[in-house]
């Protein structure tokens, strides 16, 4: 989520936003166009020439091939940008142990009173 809010330089932000808009616009457009082409191909098979049906099927295959190619290339590009961003923008949170979880030999160094432990408890 942090990367989506601030993916890096301005051109990367613009590219990410543009690809998201294109994906949201092109996905339904490719789906509807493919469905209409296949429906037309079925109609041409039943009522007229097979050549037009084959042409519509080839158009559908080309449409989905180009759509899938663009989607995969775009996704891989943004994954690469994300991995580069992640390597340079790491957020580290240091969790310090509470006094109950400090080993016995370190408790005296920290000035903590040793706690009585149950025989089944182990310090991890």
């Amino acid at each position: 989520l942090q990367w989506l809010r601030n993916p890096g330089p301005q051109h990367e932000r613009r590219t990410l936003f543009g690809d998201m808009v294109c994906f949201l616009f092109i996905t339904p457009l490719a789906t509807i166009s493919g469905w209409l082409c296949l429906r037309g191909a079925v109609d041409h098979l039943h009522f007229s020439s097979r050549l037009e049906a084959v042409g519509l099927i080839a158009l559908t295959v080309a449409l989905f091939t180009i759509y899938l190619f663009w989607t995969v290339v775009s996704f891989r590009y943004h994954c690469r940008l994300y991995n580069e961003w992640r390597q340079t923008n790491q957020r580290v949170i240091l969790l310090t142990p509470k006094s109950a979880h400090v080993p016995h030999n370190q408790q005296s160094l920290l000035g903590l009173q040793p706690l009585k432990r149950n025989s089944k408890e182990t310090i991890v």
Side-chain angles (χ1 to χ4, degrees), residues 6 12-13 18 23 29 33-34 39 42 73 78 81 94 107:
N6 187 15
E12 290 177 7
R13 189 175 306 148
F23 183 78
L29 185 66
S33 298
R39 179 128 173 127
V42 169
V73 167
H78 292 294
L81 288 180
L94 179 61
Q107 285 180 355

Side-chain angles (χ1 to χ4, degrees), residues 4 10 12 20 23 29 35 41 44 64 67-68 79 86 106 113-114 117 121-123:
L4 289 175
Q10 184 66 27
E12 290 177 7
M20 288 174 136
F23 183 78
L29 185 66
W35 181 76
H44 280 290
F64 281 119
Y67 170 74
L68 288 175
C79 283
R86 195 178 75 189
Q106 290 182 2
Q113 297 296 325
R117 300 202 183 277
E121 289 181 333
T122 55
I123 299 174

Side-chain angles (χ1 to χ4, degrees), residues 39-58:
R39 179 128 173 127
V42 169
D43 289 344
H44 280 290
L45 282 174
H46 289 301
F47 299 115
S48 61
S49 74
R50 292 183 186 265
L51 183 62
E52 291 174 358
V54 169
L56 285 172
I57 291 171

Side-chain angles (χ1 to χ4, degrees), residues 6-77:
N6 187 15
Q10 184 66 27
H11 71 280
E12 290 177 7
R13 189 175 306 148
R14 224 176 306 139
T15 303
L16 177 63
F17 179 73
D19 284 347
M20 288 174 136
V21 169
C22 285
F23 183 78
L24 292 174
F25 179 72
I26 291 175
T27 299
L29 185 66
T31 303
I32 292 169
S33 298
W35 181 76
L36 289 173
C37 284
L38 290 178
R39 179 128 173 127
V42 169
D43 289 344
H44 280 290
L45 282 174
H46 289 301
F47 299 115
S48 61
S49 74
R50 292 183 186 265
L51 183 62
E52 291 174 358
V54 169
L56 285 172
I57 291 171
L59 180 64
T60 304
V61 169
L63 177 75
F64 281 119
T65 301
I66 292 168
Y67 170 74
L68 288 175
F69 178 75
W70 174 80
T71 302
V72 168
V73 167
S74 204
F75 183 75
R76 288 184 66 195
Y77 172 73

